[in-house]
Amino acid sequence: MAKFLQVKNLSAGYKFNNVTVQAVRNVSFDLKEGEFLGIAGESGCGKSTLAFAITRTLLSPGKIFGGQILINGKDILSLKEEEVRKIRWKEFSIVFQASMNVLNPVMKIKEQMYDAIIYHGHEYGKNLKKRAEELFEFVNISPKYLDAYPHQLSGGMKQRVVIAIALALNPKLIVMDEPTTALDVVVQRRILQEVDRLRKTFGFAVIFITHDLSLLVEISDTLAIMYAGEIIEKANSREIFSNPLHPYTFGLMNSFPPLMGKRKRLHGIAGHPPDLSKQIKGCSFFERCSKRINGKCDVIEPKLVEIERGHFVACNLYAKCYKESTEYGIRASN
């Protein structure tokens, strides 16, 4: 399949009061047409900032410091805001965390759906009601709720409405930033299965961002693990589940209980993430890593390297990562 999205050396963050926070640090990845990419990591690792940067919705004091975001070969960072607004919702759309904050509480649902279609002058504008009813059927909501206000809908229904709005103009990519965070686990799974069904039906690609790794393992094609603003491991989701290579990924995989087997005591990852407003020397996971190598991991920042076929990891425990990092001088300390 062709590459629809290419992110190259993307750096983004926040700048205020002479303080710069590097929330996303030199992130690179490709997304194929129709692919489901899950991005997981603990709170504060830069997941949401990455989502806002990719969709050009990162507001002040947020700032994109460098890199490229190529959609069908065109760098959207080189486009003016008005040019981006014309392709947003058509080429790509975004579903935010809190659906209640997205939906206007004093407008009926149908009016909010019509707005996106009318603004972009889409052909669906000729029959707004018919298109809105189709979208509601896609996400399994009765069309009668088009005349409802947001407060009359449950949390799961509101989230489905936001997904329906994101689908309104048939985008080729939908970025979902923790859309199930405020929902209970049963509704979370239903929403995720619904998204996967729609993806297979209409062929759009998905970037699904969450801190809950267990949600993504079964449904996503590919998993990327973020830590301290970087992607530190990326592979087929089942490969990461059965064979995590990075110590941080291993810790995440062992932080949620299995459904079967003997009960065992779970252990969290000790320590805290690094301060992203300060320069990080060596591996960003050094202080928390039980397998760290003093004099090596605190000096050389590992490069994201393909260790096995399709399995990328950034860790100095693997000779190939260490070799490429030292050859290319990735933050080597004198």
Side-chain angles (χ1 to χ4, degrees):
M1 290 183 287
K3 295 177 182 177
F4 175 74
L5 172 70
Q6 293 174 282
V7 178
K8 298 183 178 181
N9 301 316
L10 180 65
S11 293
Y14 305 90
K15 197 168 185 177
F16 53 93
N17 296 333
N18 295 321
V19 175
T20 299
V21 177
Q22 288 269 5
V24 176
R25 303 186 298 132
N26 297 314
V27 167
S28 297
F29 66 89
D30 297 332
L31 186 72
K32 297 176 183 177
E33 294 178 354
E35 182 179 359
F36 194 124
L37 170 64
I39 300 179
E42 62 192 305
S43 297
C45 72
K47 306 184 301 296
S48 293
T49 303
L50 177 61
F52 297 148
I54 290 173
T55 55
R56 284 280 302 269
T57 53
L58 187 61
L59 303 178
S60 181
K63 186 177 178 62
I64 296 175
F65 302 123
Q68 291 181 300
I69 303 170
L70 305 176
I71 292 182
N72 283 330
K74 180 181 290 187
D75 187 2
I76 66 168
L77 295 183
S78 65
L79 301 179
K80 296 179 180 178
E81 180 57 33
E82 187 57 34
E83 293 175 309
V84 176
R85 287 172 66 89
K86 289 179 180 179
I87 64 171
R88 192 182 288 129
W89 300 105
K90 288 183 178 180
E91 294 291 326
F92 60 89
S93 59
I94 184 168
V95 176
F96 297 98
Q97 286 189 35
S99 58
M100 194 60 194
N101 295 339
V102 174
L103 298 173
N104 190 322
V106 297
M107 289 177 63
K108 289 186 176 181
I109 298 296
K110 65 180 181 181
E111 294 169 349
Q112 300 183 56
M113 297 189 74
Y114 296 167
D115 276 352
I117 299 172
I118 294 172
Y119 176 84
H120 291 280
H122 201 278
E123 61 182 8
Y124 293 128
K126 297 176 183 178
N127 197 335
L128 293 172
K129 185 179 180 181
K130 181 181 178 181
R131 179 56 178 169
E133 289 174 347
E134 287 177 348
L135 291 168
F136 264 38
E137 289 175 2
F138 292 154
V139 297
N140 288 327
I141 301 180
S142 171
K144 70 180 182 181
Y145 288 105
L146 283 168
D147 284 311
Y149 289 94
H151 72 273
Q152 295 175 297
L153 277 61
S154 68
M157 291 175 70
K158 287 196 287 270
Q159 200 58 270
R160 283 186 167 90
V161 168
V162 175
I163 292 171
I165 294 173
L167 285 168
L169 303 182
N170 292 327
K172 299 180 180 66
L173 166 66
I174 299 181
V175 178
M176 298 188 168
D177 179 30
E178 302 196 49
T180 60
T181 299
L183 307 176
D184 64 72
V185 291
V186 175
V187 178
Q188 284 182 18
R189 184 168 182 81
R190 287 176 182 169
I191 293 290
L192 199 56
Q193 289 174 332
E194 200 72 42
V195 169
D196 192 46
R197 180 185 65 81
L198 291 168
R199 173 183 71 100
K200 292 174 180 177
T201 302
F202 298 104
F204 56 83
V206 174
I207 296 177
F208 196 98
I209 294 172
T210 181
H211 64 273
D212 190 344
L213 194 56
S214 60
L215 273 175
L216 296 175
V217 170
E218 293 185 14
I219 295 179
S220 61
D221 300 317
T222 309
L223 268 177
I225 307 299
M226 281 193 75
Y227 182 77
E230 301 176 299
I231 290 180
I232 49 91
E233 188 163 2
K234 181 176 179 288
N236 175 276
S237 59
R238 295 191 179 276
E239 173 66 18
I240 284 187
F241 177 73
S242 61
N243 183 34
L245 298 181
H246 197 285
Y248 177 68
T249 308
F250 183 84
L252 287 182
M253 286 295 177
N254 285 276
S255 65
F256 55 89
L259 295 176
M260 298 179 290
K262 294 182 179 180
R263 290 185 297 176
K264 62 180 181 179
R265 185 176 295 278
L266 299 177
H267 299 280
I269 301 173
H272 303 280
D275 186 347
L276 298 181
S277 66
K278 298 178 181 178
Q279 184 178 3
I280 300 174
K281 293 182 179 180
C283 176
S284 57
F285 192 57
F286 174 78
E287 296 292 340
R288 306 174 70 186
C289 185
S290 60
K291 297 183 179 181
R292 65 191 181 195
I293 304 172
N294 291 317
K296 183 178 180 179
C297 295
D298 55 339
V299 174
I300 302 296
E301 180 184 8
K303 185 178 177 66
L304 189 67
V305 173
E306 189 174 23
I307 301 299
E308 300 171 0
R309 186 175 181 181
H311 198 149
F312 296 80
V313 67
C315 179
N316 285 326
L317 293 174
Y318 303 93
K320 192 173 182 181
C321 293
Y322 178 72
K323 180 181 178 182
E324 293 210 14
S325 297
T326 53
E327 283 181 354
Y328 289 94
I330 306 298
R331 288 194 181 177
S333 174
N334 294 326

